[in-house]
Amino acid sequence: MQTWSLVSICVLLGVVVRWGVSLNSYSGAGKPPMFGDYEAQRHWQEVTYNLPLQEWYFNTTDNDLNYWGLDYPPLTAYHSWICAYVAKIINPDWVELHKSRGYESLTHKLFMRTTVLVADLLIYIPAVVFYCLYLTDGSSKKKVSTLLCFLLYPGLILIDYGHFQYNGVSLGFALWGVLALGLGWDVSGSMAFSLALNYKQMELYHALPFFCYLLGKCIKAGPMGRGLFLLVRIAATVLATFALCWLPFLSDPSQALQVVRRIFPVARGLFEDKVANTWCSLNTLIKIRSIMSGDSQLYLSLACTLLAVLPSCFRLLTKPTFWHFKLALVNSSLAFFLFSYQVHEKSILLAALPVCLLLNDLPLIAIWFLQASTFSMLPLFLKDGLLVPYVVTSLAFLFFSLYLLSALDHCSEDELRMGAYNKLLVFLPKLDLACIVRWKFYVSVAVMAVLSIVSVALVPPPHLPDLFPVLVSTTAFLHFFGTFVYFNVVQFSEPPSRKSQKKSN
C-alpha cells in the first residue's frame, strides 16, 4: 500500500513537470507561413476531420501536402481524427477547413497540451509504472526512485510538451511491448510493438531487437513443436494487427502505396539541421552531400547501419535473454541514429527510451547518456524559446537521479561492467577504469554546461553563424558514439551475476 502511495506521488510530480513545461512557448509560435510542429499536429486534425480518408495522404486542392502533409502511419492519422472530433465539439474554428490554418489562442493551446497529457496518462506513464515495479530489481524504495527518474527524463518532456509532438504514444506502445516480453507474454508484446510501428515509422529503430529476441526464443524452444507454434502465433498476431491498422487503405493498392511513399520520403536527404549523428558531424570536415549523389548517400547509410546493428542483433539471436534484449534495443537505436538516412535530432528519444530501461542496472551511464541526449537538442529548444524549461528540467533530472539512484556511489568496475575493457586493454598498464569514467562524467557535464551558456550568451562570428549548434551536435555525437561502443562491449561480455546485483541493491 505504501509503495502505491509513493508511485502516485511520482506520477503526480511527473504530471506537474509536464504541465509546467506546457505553459511555455511551442514550435513555430507566431511564425508564418509554416509555423511549426504545433501547427502540423493541428493541421492533421483539420485534414482528418474534414476530408474523406481516401484523401488524407494525397495532394489535392483541399490537402496541400507541401503544408504539413501527413507523413506518419495510419494510427497517427486516427489519433488526429479523434482529437479533431473533440476539438470540433469545443470550438469548430480550431479545425475549420482552410480558415483554421495557423490558428493560435490560449484556449486552443491548453486543449492541445491536454491531448498530449491524456495520451501519456493512458499509454506512456502506466507502462513506465508497471515496468519499474515488475521488471526492475531491488527494494521498493529503489523501484520508486527509478520510476521518478524515468518520468523526469527532460528530453521527452521538452519535445512533447514544449516543442510539441506525441512521441509518448509510440514510445509508450513500444514500452508496453518490452514489458510484455519481460513478463513472458510474447504474443501481447508483439501486438503492442506492432501498434508502435503503426503510430510512428521511426520505431523501426527497435524492430530488429524485437524480431531477433522473439525468433531466438522460438529457436531455443525448438524449431518444431513449441517453438514453431509460438512463431506462428506471433506472426499471425503481427499480420492481424497491421491488417486492422491499414484496413481502410487496403481496398485500393494505390492508397496503400501512397501512404508508404509518404512515411518513407527518401528524397529529403541524408540529414536535416545540426543533428548529432555521424553524417552531420563528418560533414563539417567532408561535404558528403556535395561529393556523393543522393542514391550513393542512401546506399552508404544503409550499409553502415546494417554493419553497426548486426553484431548486437546476432548476439541477441544466439542468447535471447531479457538482459541482452534491453542492451540490443540501445545498440540498435543508436546504430540507426548514428548511421541511418534522414535522421532528425528528435530521433535520439528512440535511443533514450531503452537507456531509461537501464537506469536501475547502470545508473551512472544511463544518467550520463540521458543528460547528453537532452543537451543534443539544445539548438531546437532555443529556437522554440524553451531555455528556462531546458535548464530547470535538466538540473532537476541530474540532481534527483544522481541522489536517488546513488549513481556516483555505485560505479565500481564490476557495477559498470568494465571487466571486458580490462581484457581488451591487456597490453596497457593496470588502469582504474571506474575513476576514469567518473572524471569523464564530471568533465562531460561541465562541457555541456559551458556550451549551453555560450550558446545563449555569445554571438557567433558572422562567417561562422552555425558555430555553436555545430559544437553542440559534435560534442553530443562523441557522447553517443562512445555510448554505442560501451553498450556493444557490455552486451558481448558476461551478463550481471546475481551476486553483483544483490550487492548493488
Side-chain angles (χ1 to χ4, degrees):
M1 195 67 180
Q2 184 181 7
T3 300
W4 283 104
S5 299
L6 293 173
V7 167
S8 301
I9 294 172
C10 290
V11 171
L12 181 61
L13 285 173
V15 169
V16 169
V17 171
R18 282 162 167 76
W19 193 251
V21 171
S22 73
L23 299 177
N24 290 269
S25 182
Y26 51 82
S27 170
K31 297 177 182 177
M34 293 300 290
F35 300 94
D37 275 14
Y38 177 93
E39 168 63 10
Q41 304 293 338
R42 189 216 59 79
H43 180 64
W44 294 346
Q45 295 175 18
E46 171 195 345
V47 167
T48 53
Y49 186 85
N50 291 287
L51 301 181
L53 181 142
Q54 291 75 18
E55 295 184 22
W56 287 358
Y57 290 91
F58 280 89
N59 196 51
T60 66
T61 53
D62 289 326
N63 186 23
D64 181 7
L65 292 183
N66 290 320
Y67 184 79
W68 299 118
L70 258 172
D71 53 4
Y72 286 110
L75 272 188
T76 291
Y78 304 151
H79 181 207
S80 296
W81 180 84
I82 293 171
C83 292
Y85 188 84
V86 178
K88 182 74 173 180
I89 295 173
I90 299 173
N91 188 341
D93 292 344
W94 293 349
V95 290
E96 187 175 358
L97 190 63
H98 301 312
K99 293 183 180 180
S100 61
R101 180 172 292 193
Y103 190 97
E104 293 177 325
S105 73
L106 178 60
T107 52
H108 184 251
K109 176 182 174 181
L110 292 175
F111 166 75
M112 294 289 278
R113 301 301 199 194
T114 303
T115 61
V116 181
L117 184 58
V118 169
D120 270 6
L121 287 171
L122 291 175
I123 300 172
Y124 180 75
I125 292 178
V128 174
V129 170
F130 284 113
Y131 174 83
C132 292
L133 291 184
Y134 294 106
L135 291 181
T136 57
D137 295 319
S139 63
S140 297
K141 179 182 176 182
K142 187 173 183 182
K143 292 181 178 183
V144 172
S145 298
T146 304
L147 168 63
L148 180 60
C149 297
F150 204 137
L151 291 176
L152 290 182
Y153 168 54
L156 180 60
I157 296 174
L158 291 167
I159 289 296
D160 276 14
Y161 291 84
H163 181 76
F164 198 85
Q165 286 189 340
Y166 294 93
N167 292 289
V169 177
S170 58
L171 295 177
F173 279 134
L175 186 51
W176 277 111
V178 172
L179 177 66
L181 296 191
L183 295 173
W185 305 339
D186 298 329
V187 174
S188 299
S190 304
M191 183 179 69
F193 184 67
S194 297
L195 293 174
L197 272 174
N198 280 287
Y199 192 87
K200 282 200 173 184
Q201 64 271 32
M202 283 82 75
E203 279 298 328
L204 285 169
Y205 282 37
H206 301 144
L208 278 174
F210 270 88
F211 174 78
C212 292
Y213 177 71
L214 291 169
L215 181 60
K217 285 190 71 173
C218 293
I219 294 172
K220 191 174 181 180
M224 304 300 291
R226 283 179 52 213
L228 180 62
F229 181 60
L230 177 59
L231 182 61
V232 170
R233 288 170 59 209
I234 291 171
T237 301
V238 171
L239 290 174
T241 306
F242 269 80
L244 285 173
C245 292
W246 286 71
L247 188 60
F249 302 95
L250 296 178
S251 58
D252 183 358
S254 63
Q255 287 277 337
L257 286 174
Q258 176 64 8
V259 177
V260 172
R261 280 193 289 265
R262 289 296 300 164
I263 64 180
F264 294 110
V266 295
R268 287 186 179 177
L270 188 59
F271 60 87
E272 288 189 6
D273 297 324
K274 300 298 182 287
V275 60
N277 76 344
T278 303
W279 309 123
C280 184
S281 301
L282 190 60
N283 196 65
T284 59
L285 302 175
I286 305 172
K287 302 303 177 184
I288 303 171
R289 291 188 290 193
S290 300
I291 63 177
M292 297 181 70
S293 66
D295 288 343
S296 298
Q297 295 173 33
L298 178 61
Y299 296 141
L300 175 64
S301 66
L302 176 62
C304 291
T305 304
L306 288 175
L307 287 173
V309 77
L310 283 179
S312 173
C313 288
F314 180 76
R315 176 71 168 177
L316 177 62
L317 188 63
T318 57
K319 287 187 175 292
T321 65
F322 192 62
W323 169 250
H324 283 102
F325 174 57
K326 292 193 292 184
L327 292 172
L329 284 172
V330 177
N331 291 327
S332 175
S333 53
L334 274 175
F336 273 88
F337 181 84
L338 290 170
F339 300 106
S340 67
Y341 195 82
Q342 186 41 224
V343 174
H344 293 262
E345 61 268 62
K346 293 163 292 206
S347 299
I348 195 60
L349 297 178
L350 292 155
L353 176 71
V355 172
C356 284
L357 303 180
L358 297 168
L359 274 167
N360 189 65
D361 304 290
L362 298 163
L364 182 62
I365 302 299
I367 293 165
W368 190 354
F369 174 86
L370 294 173
Q371 200 71 24
S373 68
T374 305
F375 165 76
S376 73
M377 297 181 280
L378 176 62
L380 181 64
F381 298 145
L382 295 180
K383 189 187 302 182
D384 293 340
L386 297 171
L387 173 62
V388 173
Y390 162 75
V391 172
V392 173
T393 55
S394 296
L395 289 177
F397 173 77
L398 187 63
F399 171 76
F400 282 112
S401 56
L402 289 176
Y403 174 72
L404 293 175
L405 300 178
S406 304
L408 293 172
D409 297 327
H410 297 296
C411 54
S412 65
E413 289 189 12
D414 287 340
E415 289 165 325
L416 292 173
R417 320 282 189 250
M418 304 294 289
Y421 280 90
N422 281 323
K423 296 177 182 177
L424 292 173
L425 302 176
V426 66
F427 55 89
L428 293 177
K430 177 67 175 177
L431 300 173
D432 187 350
L433 296 179
C435 182
I436 293 173
V437 168
R438 194 182 297 111
W439 276 103
K440 284 176 67 177
F441 171 75
Y442 295 144
V443 172
S444 167
V445 171
V447 169
M448 288 189 281
V450 169
L451 281 177
S452 298
I453 295 171
V454 166
S455 298
V456 176
L458 299 182
V459 177
H463 63 288
L464 294 173
D466 294 327
L467 174 63
F468 299 139
V470 168
L471 287 175
V472 168
S473 65
T474 304
T475 302
F477 161 73
L478 294 175
H479 283 81
F480 299 156
F481 188 78
T483 305
F484 175 68
V485 172
Y486 168 81
F487 278 114
N488 269 277
V489 172
V490 171
Q491 189 177 354
F492 278 87
S493 60
E494 290 301 312
S497 64
R498 286 290 173 188
K499 183 178 179 181
S500 65
Q501 283 184 342
K502 290 179 180 178
K503 182 181 177 182
S504 64
N505 291 339

